[in-house]
Amino acid sequence: MTTTLRAAAILTLAATACTPGSQPGADAQQSQVASEAPAAAGAATQAPAIDDADIAAIVVAANTIDIRYGEIARERATNEQVKQFAETMIKDHTAVNQSATELVTRLGVTPTENDVSRSLEAQAAQMRETLRSKSGAEFDRAYIDNEVAYHRAVLKAIDETLIPSASNAELKQTLVNVRPAIEAHLKHAEEIQRTLARGA
């Protein structure tokens, strides 16, 4: 995938976390991991329209958030596949942060902080606390469950929010072109999830 396509890929993360989860307590944490991203995607489809400047700000916020999830997994994961997946997320999203900046500069878009980018970080802070409360195999499952839910919501967001909201023709086409790569990431995470469920 080219750097431009990788830059656009992070745009798809934006709509997956528009509202914070609200399930307190240790017993609710596991279901929170699995449910936050889909619930947020639903909220994203009802959110006020976003423009290209909003998307640009969301790019940086969402990209940084995914790097931080990966950094937590790098420290806490015990399963080798989970560790490798986390390293891939760190590497890819670090590169995307740079290429995303290049993309919006070339498009002449000035990032504008907005309610979505702010709430994205608020929800991510909650998820980081959830992940930090776990260890061992429990952490591995929680991290991968979150990644699966996240990428499912991303695909929904591409179709229902981001493509319709992008006004720049190149940006819109890039989102269309990057969808198969996002789906491939989801399949990879689902494969690891199945391996963990078998106790491998």
Side-chain angles (χ1 to χ4, degrees), residues 64-140:
T64 302
I65 286 164
D66 231 26
I67 292 167
R68 289 177 182 165
Y69 287 155
E71 289 170 344
I72 295 170
R74 179 166 59 189
E75 294 173 3
R76 303 184 75 87
T78 57
N79 179 279
E80 190 58 35
Q81 289 185 72
V82 175
K83 288 181 181 180
Q84 290 175 3
F85 186 85
E87 289 293 348
T88 298
M89 294 299 100
I90 294 168
K91 180 185 70 173
D92 287 355
H93 292 301
T94 297
V96 169
N97 243 354
Q98 181 178 357
S99 56
T101 300
E102 295 168 359
L103 175 64
V104 297
T105 299
R106 183 165 54 79
L107 295 178
V109 174
T110 301
T112 303
E113 188 175 337
N114 54 79
D115 288 343
V116 175
S117 63
R118 286 187 289 266
S119 62
L120 184 63
E121 176 52 42
Q123 184 184 9
Q126 292 181 1
M127 180 55 68
R128 288 194 294 270
E129 288 307 307
T130 297
L131 291 173
R132 288 188 183 110
S133 73
K134 301 180 184 300
S135 60
E138 184 185 24
F139 173 85
D140 294 341

Side-chain angles (χ1 to χ4, degrees), residues 18-31:
C18 293
T19 57
S22 59
Q23 297 179 349
D27 292 341
Q29 286 178 345
Q30 187 170 0
S31 61

Side-chain angles (χ1 to χ4, degrees), residues 132-176:
R132 288 188 183 110
S133 73
K134 301 180 184 300
S135 60
E138 184 185 24
F139 173 85
D140 294 341
R141 288 190 300 270
Y143 172 69
I144 290 298
D145 286 350
N146 182 56
E147 290 296 304
V148 168
Y150 201 63
H151 284 82
R152 285 177 181 162
V154 163
L155 291 173
K156 182 178 175 69
I158 290 173
D159 295 335
E160 298 182 5
T161 303
L162 296 178
I163 290 173
S165 296
S167 58
N168 179 278
E170 181 182 357
L171 177 59
K172 188 183 292 284
Q173 187 59 49
T174 302
L175 290 166
V176 170

